[in-house]
C-alpha cells in the first residue's frame, strides 16, 4: 500500500476543471495506475480525498495498492517546469504498510476524514427505503460516532472543563452528544454533477453531500482500523469520500 500527496495548482484551468467534477478527478486518479483497471472490485481499492486548506492550497491524497504515476496530473494541474527536477517530481509517495503495522491498541492520533454521511428512510408505509444524506453537523457527528467501534477506533472525549455543552443536550427533541467529543465537522459540501450511463449515452444528475471530520481518536482494534484506512469508510468512495488519514498529536511542553 502507498500514501500519496499531490498539491493542486489552483491557478491552472485544468485544475479548476478537475476540482469542479468529482467524476473527472476520480478518472484522473485511476489513470495513475497502469496495472490497475478502473473496474477492479476485488482487493484493496483506490481511495482519494481533497483537502482545501486555503484558497490556493489544495492537496489531493491517494491511498492505493500500487505506486502511482501522477505525471498527467502534474501536466494538467500542477507545476510541470518545477517537476523537471528529479528530486521534486510534483508529488510525494511513501510506502503505507510500515505506518499501518505500527498501529497499536491504545494509541492516540489526530485524524481527518471526508465522508458521505447517509441514512435510509421510508417516507410511507410499504415504500422501499431511500438513501438520504445527513445535512446537519449534529447528525453527521452521530453518523460517525455510530461507526467508530466497528471501524477500529474510539473518538476521544473532552474533559468536563473543556466542554461548552453537556452530553445529552437535546436538539429539536432528539438527544445528541453535545460537546462531548474531540470532533469537529467542517466544509459541508453538496456536489452535483452529471454522470454517464455505463450502458449507453444517457446522463443523469448525481448529488453527493460530504462533510470533513477533524478530531482525535484512540485505536481500539488495530486490524479493523487498518481495514478502515485502506478500504474506506462510508459511501461515495469514487467521489472523494471515505479516506481517513492519521497524524501524530502535537506534543505539549510544560
Amino acid at each position: 500500500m502507498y500514501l500519496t500527496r499531490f498539491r493542486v495548482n489552483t491557478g491552472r484551468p485544468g485544475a479548476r476543471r478537475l476540482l469542479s467534477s468529482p467524476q473527472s478527478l476520480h478518472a484522473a486518479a485511476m489513470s495513475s495506475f497502469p496495472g490497475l483497471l478502473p473496474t477492479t472490485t476485488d482487493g484493496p481499492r483506490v481511495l482519494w480525498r481533497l483537502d482545501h486548506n486555503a484558497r490556493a492550497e489544495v492537496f489531493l491524497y491517494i491511498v492505493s495498492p500500487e505506486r502511482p504515476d501522477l505525471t498527467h496530473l502534474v501536466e494538467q494541474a500542477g507545476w510541470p517546469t518545477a517537476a523537471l527536477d528529479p528530486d521534486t517530481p510534483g508529488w510525494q509517495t511513501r510506502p503505507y504498510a510500515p505506518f499501518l503495522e505500527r498501529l497499536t491498541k491504545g494509541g492516540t492520533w489526530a485524524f481527518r476524514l471526508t465522508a458521505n454521511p447517509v441514512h435510509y428512510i421510508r417516507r410511507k408505509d410499504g415504500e422501499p427505503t431511500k438513501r438520504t444524506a445527513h445535512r446537519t453537523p449534529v447528525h453527521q457527528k452521530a453518523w460517525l460516532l455510530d461507526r467508530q467501534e466497528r471501524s477500529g477506533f474510539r473518538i476521544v472525549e473532552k474533559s468536563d472543563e473543556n466542554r461548552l455543552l453537556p452530553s445529552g443536550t437535546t436538539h429539536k427533541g432528539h438527544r445528541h452528544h453535545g460537546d462531548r467529543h474531540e470532533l469537529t465537522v467542517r466544509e459541508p459540501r453538496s456536489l452535483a454533477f452529471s454522470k454517464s450511463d455505463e450502458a449507453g449515452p444517457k446522463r443523469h444528475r448525481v448529488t453527493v453531500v460530504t462533510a470533513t471530520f477533524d478530531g482525535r481518536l484512540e485505536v481500539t482494534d488495530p486490524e479493523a482500523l487498518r481495514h478502515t484506512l485502506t478500504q474506506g469508510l462510508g459511501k461515495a468512495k469514487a467521489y472523494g469520500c471515505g479516506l481517513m488519514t492519521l497524524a501524530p498529536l502535537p506534543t505539549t511542553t510544560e
Side-chain angles (χ1 to χ4, degrees):
M1 297 298 295
Y2 294 90
L3 174 64
T4 299
R5 186 178 74 170
F6 169 77
R7 184 177 176 187
V8 180
N9 184 347
T10 57
R12 302 192 64 188
R16 292 193 290 270
R17 286 193 295 271
L18 286 175
L19 294 177
S20 66
S21 172
Q23 189 177 22
S24 296
L25 192 49
H26 171 70
M30 295 303 296
S31 298
S32 304
F33 307 95
L36 188 65
L37 297 176
T39 55
T40 299
T41 58
D42 56 340
R45 64 167 62 240
V46 175
L47 301 171
W48 62 272
R49 186 185 77 216
L50 281 175
D51 281 7
H52 297 259
N53 297 333
R55 184 173 182 179
E57 188 180 78
V58 179
F59 287 97
L60 170 65
Y61 287 89
I62 300 174
V63 166
S64 58
E66 297 180 8
R67 182 183 290 273
D69 181 351
L70 303 188
T71 303
H72 62 298
L73 277 175
V74 173
E75 294 171 348
Q76 183 177 0
W79 285 266
T81 302
L84 293 176
D85 184 344
D87 293 328
T88 57
W91 70 91
Q92 299 84 43
T93 297
R94 300 286 184 272
Y96 206 21
F99 171 79
L100 297 173
E101 291 168 0
R102 290 200 302 270
L103 295 175
T104 57
K105 186 174 182 179
T108 55
W109 300 85
F111 75 88
R112 176 169 292 177
L113 165 71
T114 293
N116 170 227
V118 297
H119 62 133
Y120 293 85
I121 62 173
R122 180 180 287 110
R123 299 185 184 279
K124 296 180 181 179
D125 291 341
E127 286 188 349
T129 58
K130 180 181 179 181
R131 191 164 72 189
T132 305
H134 287 301
R135 294 182 177 271
T136 67
V138 167
H139 293 102
Q140 290 167 345
K141 285 184 178 182
W143 175 89
L144 181 58
L145 290 166
D146 286 345
R147 286 156 178 78
Q148 58 180 341
E149 288 298 336
R150 63 177 178 268
S151 299
F153 64 89
R154 179 184 65 83
I155 297 175
V156 175
E157 295 188 10
K158 294 181 179 179
S159 59
D160 290 340
E161 60 269 20
N162 289 329
R163 296 183 188 178
L164 299 178
L165 296 172
S167 174
T169 301
T170 60
H171 177 75
K172 295 183 180 180
H174 300 282
R175 291 179 64 83
H176 67 83
H177 295 277
D179 193 38
R180 179 179 173 183
H181 297 90
E182 295 276 2
L183 178 64
T184 60
V185 183
R186 62 182 183 85
E187 293 183 1
R189 296 173 181 269
S190 183
L191 309 175
F193 53 95
S194 296
K195 181 182 179 182
S196 298
D197 184 351
E198 294 180 358
K202 185 178 180 180
R203 301 179 69 86
H204 61 278
R205 199 70 172 166
V206 176
T207 301
V208 177
V209 176
T210 71
T212 297
F213 300 91
D214 286 308
R216 300 186 178 194
L217 62 77
E218 177 184 341
V219 181
T220 57
D221 184 338
E223 192 58 37
L225 182 55
R226 292 184 191 105
H227 184 273
T228 298
L229 296 175
T230 57
Q231 298 292 316
L233 183 59
K235 303 293 185 180
K237 296 182 180 71
Y239 303 126
C241 297
L243 174 55
M244 173 184 280
T245 52
L246 307 182
L249 293 171
T251 57
T252 58
T253 56
E254 296 296 336

